[in-house]
Amino acid sequence: MQILYLLKYTNLLKRSSGWLLALFPLISVILCMMYPVVINDNFILDFRRIPFILGALYGGKWVGLIYLIVMLSYRFSLGGDGFYPTLFSFSLVTVATSIVSAHFLNLDLKKKLLVAAAMDGLVGIVSTFVSLTFFNSQIPLSMWILFSCISVIGVVLATLIYEVFINQFKLLHSVMEGQKLKVVSHLAASISHEVRNPLTVSRGFLQLIDSDLKDREKKGYMKLAINELDRATEIINDYLTFAKPYPESVDRIDIISEIKHSISVIQPLASMMNVSINSKIDLPPTYMQSEKRKFQQCLLNISKNAIEAMSEGGTLTIQVSRNENELRISIQDTGVGMTEEQLSRIGEPFFTTKEKGTGLGMMVSHSIVKAMGGELLYESKSGQGTTVHLAFQVEEMG
Ligand code: ADP
Ligand code: MG
């Protein structure tokens, strides 16, 4: 299975996926039945339920059904009374796994283990009960219980192993993706500075020519050209205002003075839009590890959104408070606010409700806050305004 996964992730075997992977637990099921634990004639047991449950939970209901059919056919051909308890308990567990398997993959590790153990326990209890009551099995109850306990431990271990190696491949994948992204973002950052100047210069000259134009059609084209240039500038602003060609080293920065600096940067935009800024930042220097420019980009994007939400003017309140090692920054506006649907989509790349928006600002801010180990929360009421809360762990007070 590991080799198959590797082939898939290195793109050598693109469509190996599902069915081929589902084959392995089935082979294990058959092997378990071919080589059971034989203590004496009456004592033949095996651990087939471990691969069975694992495969059915990860593979989904169809995989489970196929396992059931194959396993029962094989078991039937072996003969003996043991077929009926098997039929009963495994049909039951197939139904149970098919119900939970739809959500299984989204569970966290603890719950996955719990579900797998529960499924195994279910088979254990049912087959013990059926064997002892209806088929007066020669195996004593204590043996059944011991066996079931071992099986539960087995399924938990197997699930753990499977999770570990799936996660390893996910990690591998994300490292590969991350490498690509890193190259692109370095490139983008180094180009952005070079591109912004020509954009500004071109825009200036276009405007100059525009004022001399008489032809309405040409004026229309000119307006389009200027708008497109503005859009390109906007993307650079949202994305890369403070980006440097190479990542800055992570420094110990004074958050408070960075916030004050950011406020001075957005002040002109605020005045232009009739927005007054009300800041409550009376804290001593507070330090944390971060890249200065990224933090500023983040604050800039959030405050710019707040100001843009108040097209009729309003108040932007920036408040900073500290509780033990947690620093809270809230940026509140009295603007248009957001609906539930908008709230749930914010931060999605290219999600924007603005005619000239890029939908990149909040995506960038989110990733910056995440990289700083912080939290970003929105509180918003349509028509009343929005508050963005940022929370960071900071250094202990010295
Ligand atoms: P852009 O500003 O280019 O639209 P963003 O990623 O910065 O992209 O924001 C995405 C969307 O989130 C905005 O289009 C807007 O609908 C919504 N939004 C963000 N901040 C606010 C806010 N303070 N008030 C109202 N809506 C907001
Ligand atoms: Mg924005």
Side-chain angles (χ1 to χ4, degrees), residues 23 40 87 105 142 175 200 212 233 267 331 350 353 364 395 398:
L23 209 61
N40 58 46
L87 174 69
L105 293 181
S142 58
V175 169
T200 323
D212 280 349
T233 316
Q267 187 66 63
I331 300 167
F350 310 115
T353 54
V364 171
E395 287 179 14

Side-chain angles (χ1 to χ4, degrees), residues 109-130:
L109 181 63
K110 255 192 216 156
K111 291 200 181 112
K112 275 182 182 164
L113 295 177
L114 218 69
V115 168
M119 292 294 141
D120 195 273
L122 180 70
V123 185
I125 291 168
V126 172
S127 60
T128 305
F129 177 74
V130 174

Side-chain angles (χ1 to χ4, degrees), residues 234 238 301 304-305 308 354 358-362:
E234 200 56 36
D238 272 2
N301 289 354
K304 222 172 80 189
N305 280 342
E308 284 164 358
K354 295 168 196 164
T358 62
L360 291 171
M362 285 321 296

Side-chain angles (χ1 to χ4, degrees), residues 231 234 238 301-310 316 331-339 342-343 345-366 378-380 385-388:
R231 185 164 167 74
E234 200 56 36
D238 272 2
N301 289 354
I302 295 171
S303 337
K304 222 172 80 189
N305 280 342
I307 294 172
E308 284 164 358
M310 300 183 275
L316 177 69
I331 300 167
Q332 184 178 23
D333 66 56
T334 52
V336 290
M338 279 178 274
T339 61
Q342 290 170 346
L343 259 178
R345 293 193 55 193
I346 196 161
E348 225 174 74
F350 310 115
F351 166 68
T352 180
T353 54
K354 295 168 196 164
E355 199 186 331
K356 288 190 176 168
T358 62
L360 291 171
M362 285 321 296
M363 181 198 76
V364 171
S365 305
H366 266 282
Y378 276 90
E379 210 181 302
S380 188
T386 306
T387 312
V388 183

